[in-house]
């Protein structure tokens, strides 16, 4: 079925658009295969609103006399109202939106049709690959190697074709280890710390089952990771009880007796549906203006969203503590190893590694730890906070990551090269995008769908100098140190920039942000590019030019 | 000094409130301060605790490592010492018990504090704030409002200032009659005049109406206030209490205005709770945010149960109602509660701050506090427990006002000349008794104490370090275009003020501050501009026009000076794992050295001695 067949009414005149904190507008509404377009009817400087249909999470129809009202709730949390004259048109538009906003087939999605004039499809896709990362990271060369055991995705369907593993472990052992891990996600390197060479590994749970199976190769693999040093830590993102229960369904945990050099620590993290429901509850609480303070606090608490932020940051802090302060390697896993595992390992890197705090570094981190590592974006981000559809595998873990990064930025506003704007952009792109970056669930699926050949890469486009500038943090001052965030509940805050994005409050904040920008810019212009000089040399320079002038005077 | 038996104890441990960390040092007890000096020479931190700041001292039962001493301060600091020998602990404990309960005003620190200023400087300090000039700024006296000398000798109302402004038509007999019908003689007087609409904000205490009593003079008085404003035919009477409280007061012969007896008033309850509820609420709040390993759930539930933010919102709502009535309707408003010195002060001051951009500047804010709080007799001595404590009188009324202002600075980041450190510093000194401004309960008492002759003014001190309190984002043009603030009262705007209530728990604070950074940038910019100017002047001396110089100055000539020691780099190091307590890896990290100490933000943890 052609997409256009879903469109029964393509154009409606005299539509009224209502947005929060803006006057109502009248204009023309168009539905295309991938967009909803509204343009007002003023002759000069006509204003347009273009919404990706994929961005629409839910719609509500209401009949008022002969006309209908459609409330559109977007995945980026914007809520719009359209008043459409004519009941039939209204219903047609609504059904088109419903059908076209929930396309299942990847190749029908907009990134496959997005062809801006300034971009070409040929050329490399993405920022880096496992091989390139390995080549650039000299500290890995000695003890680690790139394995292509998964080049045809048969060992682990959700892993990329190349992974980094201990040099002394051959591919054969990897295959055995993969059979012993859920989804074949055997332990691979996630990060090697630049200060002490200690590593963060990640995997899925071992399939020990009820009768405590073991896998020699898996044990050897982990033994090779710590390589003679006496201890490593396994951070299990489930409570000890949950890990025990997992054995009943074939899963399990690394037992002390078989992995004697690894110390296991359990940290309970919510996952899946629970986190998705948190998001739904939080957004609902944020969008009801009638709450009293008490009711608001109780709703905020009840959503548990901040509790998830709290546990994610605490566990990331714990991982960093093991690596940086204690000087030991860490293996992180939960059950599947595609959600909380990635959340914790990438947050830990942000805290530890100055390289991941630049715009490029951060995007590379996301590419490596989320896109290539096989976070199932398509399943997790199918719906956002407004959808009434029955939840399948939705879970806003990536949004949770962005929130945690924002919390770190709040506490270290000088340490990250990027600003909140980048996080907000990513929060939007992950649900609906012109680009192919967040399509599909794994590298394998992307290959099969031809994503790299037929879509543009978001990260590449964000790094174009004119675009990147919008996302820079004017206050950035790199630091080599680990940036330990405080995880006291008093130190964590609701991410107003995202959750209260469409309120008047956001406007005051925007103005204040601009003011910071202009102060810093003004200062940079005055101070010049070389910011390491101190006052003394400044004065010397000034004096030199003064002396030059005196010389000229004498000549005169 | 005779109360100090042990002036110095060594090997005292200071425990961190939220982690297992502790430092060892020496404890000194002086006539004014309790001082802890860390022994570690590299990062030796010093903690100075003014005796007046101490709210309570508690000796806990002996442990193996020594005798624990728990000290709670009014500025929300909580220190936990462990003193090796019980005898020393007991000596310190009993000395402190005596020292933190001064028996006469003369014992307060303000009377011994000497910032090395001469008499003239001190007098100038006291002259900084001139309330007569402030009323003049508002446009008073004018054709409708006049200065009355009825209270010159404090005969009509002991708790009011000498200079009071009343409607032209209110004669002395009316004033005196009205004052007899009002609690504590606090009759209706002008506190703010909104020139644009000639609308007045007046304040008073509750009428002694009981169930049926009335007073013609008082009715006349309100009539006079109403007549002084031609823009509106009615005045609002805001009773800031919950209706139930006002009703209960009637049984004691007090109460509220009966609309039938007063012509043209619109009566309104706004429901701010009394001092006892507020005291209990703060106590609950502090318990919650002082809990170790607090979970997010317990934090939010605790915040809700304390009711603190609900009370803050109630005050804000009242102030917004007041500001709207005055600026939009152009109506005059009379505000009262019971005695007219707590809720009334909160609402009048906050309302004026919403209406008048001047009060959002550093100087203007001082004037506002001086006017609505100090001169109109907010009982600082009782509320802040300065002397002869009656625990039932203590209440964080002024703190709530400061917090309301902070909530506004969060909503309007560009509207205030000062940053939150200014508010925090004021709070610090309201309790420090180091300066004369907040001593005593009324203007009259302050005169009896001869404060202006014997103590120094806080305002002069704060102005001398104005740089520390500036808000770099302040934009006077915003004030011009939006003179009246219209805050949103959506629940999510009311946030917990961590930098106040956890101000000494440094592990909670952001490690880097945008505010501070931008201030540093501005500072260095000013310096550079100064240098350029100085050089220009020099050049002019040689008779050279300065314009041709410009192309010669290389672009990198002006660059960033070294940042002051409060800069960001060090603070990053200071954030450390143990303070945050991510883990339960007991023992395994014990041997590692901690990196350097976090330097605190402006205004915090600095005592001026």
């Amino acid at each position: 079925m052609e997409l256009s067949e879903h469109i029964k009414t393509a154009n409606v005149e005299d539509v009224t658009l209502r947005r929060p904190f803006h006057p109502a507008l009248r204009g023309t509404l168009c539905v295309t295969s991938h967009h909803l377009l509204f343009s007002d009817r003023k002759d000069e400087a006509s204003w347009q609103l273009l919404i990706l249909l994929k961005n629409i999470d839910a719609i509500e129809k209401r009949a008022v006399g002969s006309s209908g009202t459609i409330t559109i709730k977007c995945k980026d949390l914007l809520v719009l109202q359209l008043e459409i004259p004519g009941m039939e048109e209204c219903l047609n538009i609504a059904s088109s939106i419903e059908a076209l906003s929930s396309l299942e087939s990847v190749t029908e999605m907009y990134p496959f049709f997005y062809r801006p004039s300034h971009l070409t499809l040929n050329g490399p896709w993405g920022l880096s690959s496992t091989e390139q990362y390995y080549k650039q990271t000299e500290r890995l060369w000695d003890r680690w190697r790139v394995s292509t055991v998964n080049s045809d995705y048969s060992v682990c369907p959700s892993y990329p074709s190349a992974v980094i593993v201990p040099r002394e472990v051959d591919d054969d052992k990897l295959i055995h280890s993969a059979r012993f891990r859920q989804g074949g996600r055997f332990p691979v390197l996630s990060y090697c710390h630049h200060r002490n060479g200690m590593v963060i590994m990640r995997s899925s749970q071992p399939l020990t089952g009820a009768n405590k199976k073991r896998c020699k190769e898996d044990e050897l693999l982990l033994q090779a990771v710590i390589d003679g040093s006496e201890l490593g830590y396994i951070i299990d993102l489930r409570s000890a009880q949950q890990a025990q229960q997992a054995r009943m369904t074939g899963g399990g945990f690394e037992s002390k007796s078989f992995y004697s050099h690894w110390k296991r620590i359990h940290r309970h993290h919510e996952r899946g549906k629970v986190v998705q429901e948190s998001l739904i509850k939080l957004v609902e609480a944020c969008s009801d203006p009638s709450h009293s303070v008490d009711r608001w606090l109780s709703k905020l608490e009840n959503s548990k969203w901040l509790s998830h932020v709290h546990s994610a940051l605490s566990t990331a802090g714990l991982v960093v503590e093991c690596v940086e302060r204690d000087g030991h390697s860490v293996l992180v896993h939960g059950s599947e190893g595609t959600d909380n595992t990635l959340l914790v390992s990438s947050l830990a890197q942000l805290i530890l590694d100055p390289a991941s705090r630049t715009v490029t570094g951060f995007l590379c981190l996301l590419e490596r730890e989320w896109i290539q590592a096989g976070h199932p974006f398509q399943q997790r981000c199918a719906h956002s906070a407004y959808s009434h559809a029955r939840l399948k595998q939705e879970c806003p873990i990536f949004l949770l990551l962005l929130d945690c990064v924002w919390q770190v930025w709040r506490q270290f506003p000088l340490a990250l090269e990027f600003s909140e704007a980048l996080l907000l952009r990513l929060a939007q792109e992950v649900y609906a995008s012109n680009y192919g970056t967040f399509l599909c669930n794994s590298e394998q699926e992307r290959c099969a769908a031809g994503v790299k050949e037929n879509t543009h890469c978001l990260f590449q486009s964000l790094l174009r100098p004119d675009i990147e500038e919008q996302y820079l943090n004017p206050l950035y001052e790199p630091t080599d140190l680990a940036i330990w965030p405080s995880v006291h509940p008093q130190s964590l805050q609701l991410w107003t920039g995202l959750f209260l994005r469409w309120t008047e409050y956001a406007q005051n904040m925007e103005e204040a942000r601009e003011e910071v920008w202009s102060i810093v810019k003004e200062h940079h212009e005055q101070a010049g590019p070389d910011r390491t000089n101190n006052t003394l040399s400044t004065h010397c320079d000034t004096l030199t030019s003064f002396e030059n002038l005196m010389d000229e005077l004498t000549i005169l | 000094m005779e109360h100090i038996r042990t002036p110095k104890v060594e090997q005292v441990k200071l425990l961190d409130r939220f982690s297992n960390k502790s430092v060892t040092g020496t404890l000194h007890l002086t006539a004014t301060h309790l001082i802890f000096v860390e022994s570690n020479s590299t990062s030796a931190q010093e903690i100075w605790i003014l005796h007046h700041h101490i709210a309570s001292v508690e000796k806990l039962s002996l442990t193996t490592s020594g005798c624990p001493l728990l000290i709670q301060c009014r500025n929300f600091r909580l220190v936990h010492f462990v003193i090796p020998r019980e005898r020393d602990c007991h000596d310190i404990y009993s000395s402190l018990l005596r020292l933190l309960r001064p028996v006469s005003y003369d014992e307060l620190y303000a009377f011994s504090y000497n910032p090395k200023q001469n008499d003239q400087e001190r007098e100038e300090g006291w002259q900084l704030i001139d309330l007569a000039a402030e009323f003049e700024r508002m446009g008073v006296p004018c054709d409708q409002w006049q200065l009355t000398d009825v209270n010159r000798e404090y005969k009509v109302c002991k708790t009011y200032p000498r200079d009071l402004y009343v409607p032209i038509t209110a004669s002395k007999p009316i004033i005196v009659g009205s004052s007899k019908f009002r609690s504590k003689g606090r009759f209706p007087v002008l506190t703010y005049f909104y020139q644009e609409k000639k609308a007045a904000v007046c304040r008073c205490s509750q009428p002694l109406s009981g169930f049926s009593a009335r007073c013609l003079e008082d009715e006349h008085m309100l009539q006079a206030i109403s007549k002084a404003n031609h823009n509106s035919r009615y005045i609002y009477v805001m009773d800031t209490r919950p209706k139930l409280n006002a009703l209960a007061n009637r049984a004691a012969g007090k109460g509220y205005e009966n609309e039938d007896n007063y012509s043209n008033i619109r009566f309104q309850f706004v429901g701010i709770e009394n001092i006892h509820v507020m005291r209990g609420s703060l106590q609950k709040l502090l318990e919650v945010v002082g809990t170790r390993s607090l979970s997010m759930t317990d934090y939010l539930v605790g915040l809700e149960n304390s009711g603190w933010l609900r009370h803050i919102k109630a005050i804000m709502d009242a102030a917004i109602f007041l500001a709207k009535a005055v600026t939009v309707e152009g109506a005059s408003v009379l505000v009262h509660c019971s005695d007219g010195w707590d809720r009334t002060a909160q609402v009048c001051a906050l309302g004026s701050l919403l209406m008048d951009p001047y009060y959002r500047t550093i100087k203007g804010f001082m004037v506002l506090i001086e006017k609505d709080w100090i001169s109109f007799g907010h009982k600082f001595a009782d509320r802040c427990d300065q002397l002869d404590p009656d625990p039932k009188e203590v209440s964080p009324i002024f703190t709530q006002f400061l917090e309301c202002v902070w909530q506004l600075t969060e909503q309007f980041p560009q509207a205030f000349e000062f940053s939150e450190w200014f508010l925090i510093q004021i709070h610090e000194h309201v309790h420090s008794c180091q300066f004369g401004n907040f001593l005593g309960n009324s203007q009259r008492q302050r005169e009896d104490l001869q404060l202006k002759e014997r103590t120094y003014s806080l305002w002069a001190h704060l102005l001398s370090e104005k740089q520390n309190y500036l808000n770099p984002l302040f934009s006077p043009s915003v004030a011009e275009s939006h003179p009246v603030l219209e805050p949103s009262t959506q629940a999510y705007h009311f946030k917990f003020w961590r930098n106040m209530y956890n101000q000494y728990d440094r592990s909670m604070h952001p490690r880097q501050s945008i505010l501070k950074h931008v201030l540093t940038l501005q500072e260095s910019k000013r310096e550079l501009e100064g240098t350029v100017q100085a050089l220009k002047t020099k050049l002019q001396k040689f008779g050279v026009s300065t314009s041709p110089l410009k192309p010669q100055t290389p672009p990198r000539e002006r660059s960033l000076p070294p940042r002051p020691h409060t800069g960001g780099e060090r603070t990053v190091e200071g954030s450390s794992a143990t303070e945050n307590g991510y883990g339960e890896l007991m023992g395994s990290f014990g041997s590692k050295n901690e990196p350097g100490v976090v330097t605190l933000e402006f205004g915090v943890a600095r005592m001026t001695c």
Side-chain angles (χ1 to χ4, degrees), chain B residues 425-441:
Chain B
Q425 194 68 357
I426 291 174
H427 181 265
E428 178 92 7
H429 285 299
V430 165
H431 292 92
S432 73
C433 301
Q434 185 175 351
F435 297 92
N437 308 58
F438 299 105
L439 299 192
N441 282 325

Side-chain angles (χ1 to χ4, degrees), chain A residues 133 164 188-192 199-202 345-346 349 368-369:
Chain A
Y133 176 70
I164 299 172
V188 295
L189 178 120
S190 163
Y191 171 69
C192 176
V199 299
I200 300 175
M201 307 285 293
R202 53 177 162 73
S345 74
S346 45
Q349 291 180 51
R368 211 168 58 237
E369 288 295 286

Side-chain angles (χ1 to χ4, degrees), chain B residues 150-162:
Chain B
V150 67
N151 203 36
R152 266 290 136 83
E153 308 298 326
Y154 298 114
K155 285 213 174 105
V156 179
C157 176
K158 278 189 269 186
T159 56
Y160 267 170
R162 290 176 191 272

Side-chain angles (χ1 to χ4, degrees), chain B residues 11 17 45 87 89 94 116 155 184 187 204 223 265 305 321 367 397 422 443 449 464 469 479 531 544 593:
Chain B
Q11 290 296 313
R17 190 176 170 194
Q45 62 158 337
R87 237 195 69 198
C89 184
S94 44
K116 303 205 170 49
K155 285 213 174 105
K184 308 279 195 309
F187 59 94
C204 62
Q223 186 71 18
I265 70 163
N305 288 343
F321 178 87
V367 169
I397 300 302
F422 185 55
Q443 204 69 304
L449 289 168
S464 73
Y469 308 123
T531 316
V544 192
N593 277 330

Side-chain angles (χ1 to χ4, degrees), chain B residues 158-286:
Chain B
K158 278 189 269 186
T159 56
Y160 267 170
R162 290 176 191 272
D163 293 344
L164 294 167
Y165 296 82
V166 291
I168 293 254
T169 51
S171 63
K172 266 187 197 169
I174 288 181
I175 294 176
V176 174
S178 166
S179 82
K180 288 193 175 135
F181 189 62
R182 294 276 169 181
S183 218
K184 308 279 195 309
R186 294 171 69 92
F187 59 94
V189 293
L190 180 81
T191 178
Y192 180 70
F193 188 64
Y194 188 66
Q195 227 171 341
E196 202 183 308
K197 303 228 162 138
K198 308 275 183 229
V201 178
C202 298
R203 53 184 291 173
C204 62
S205 60
Q206 65 185 336
L208 304 175
S209 52
F211 289 98
S212 59
R214 53 189 291 189
C215 165
L216 287 179
E217 287 93 339
D218 194 61
E219 288 161 26
H220 230 97
M221 186 77 194
L222 265 63
Q223 186 71 18
I225 293 173
S226 175
K227 287 238 174 81
N229 179 359
H230 302 306
N231 276 322
S232 172
R233 284 186 297 109
Y234 52 86
I235 65 166
Y236 280 103
V237 176
M238 276 174 82
D239 189 328
T240 53
R241 298 168 294 183
K243 189 171 182 184
L244 212 63
N245 301 22
L247 283 171
N249 263 300
R250 291 209 305 199
K254 300 164 188 173
Y256 56 93
E257 291 80 358
N258 182 343
E259 271 179 292
D260 299 338
N261 298 340
Y262 294 84
S263 50
N264 301 332
I265 70 163
R266 294 194 176 180
F267 188 84
Q268 178 88 30
F269 286 112
V270 290
I272 303 173
E273 298 288 347
N274 64 23
I275 57 167
H276 312 294
V277 175
M278 300 306 189
R279 179 177 55 239
S281 172
L282 179 63
Q283 202 154 16
K284 280 190 207 155
L285 178 80
L286 293 178

Side-chain angles (χ1 to χ4, degrees), chain A residues 25-124:
Chain A
L25 287 173
R26 284 170 86 80
T28 310
L29 183 73
C30 306
V31 185
T32 72
S33 307
H34 293 104
H35 289 98
L36 198 62
L37 174 71
F38 176 89
S39 66
D40 76 351
R41 295 196 300 178
K42 280 195 207 99
D43 297 329
E44 70 256 34
S46 84
W47 179 87
Q48 292 190 329
L49 177 73
L50 187 67
I51 293 179
L52 261 180
L53 288 172
K54 181 135 191 275
N55 188 13
I56 296 175
D57 206 24
I59 64 169
E60 283 157 21
K61 297 162 284 197
R62 209 156 42 87
V64 185
S66 65
S67 66
T69 303
I70 302 181
T71 304
I72 293 182
K73 299 185 170 180
C74 297
K75 291 173 184 167
D76 62 6
L77 310 183
L78 177 65
V79 177
L80 299 171
Q81 278 195 334
L82 295 168
E83 283 168 30
I84 300 171
M87 209 53 222
E88 195 190 334
E89 283 86 350
C90 177
L91 291 176
N92 284 345
I93 299 266
S95 72
S96 303
I97 294 174
E98 268 164 356
L100 292 168
S101 63
S102 53
L103 298 175
E104 296 270 324
S105 155
V106 173
T107 49
E108 282 182 344
M109 290 180 186
Y110 186 62
F112 281 85
F113 300 90
Y114 178 60
R115 297 288 177 266
S117 53
H118 60 274
L119 292 177
T120 53
L121 277 178
N122 313 321

Side-chain angles (χ1 to χ4, degrees), chain B residues 339-356:
Chain B
D339 289 320
W341 50 43
D342 293 314
R343 290 168 269 206
T344 302
Q346 288 177 330
V347 173
C348 289
L350 198 62
S352 316
L353 182 114
L354 291 176
M355 291 187 262
D356 194 333

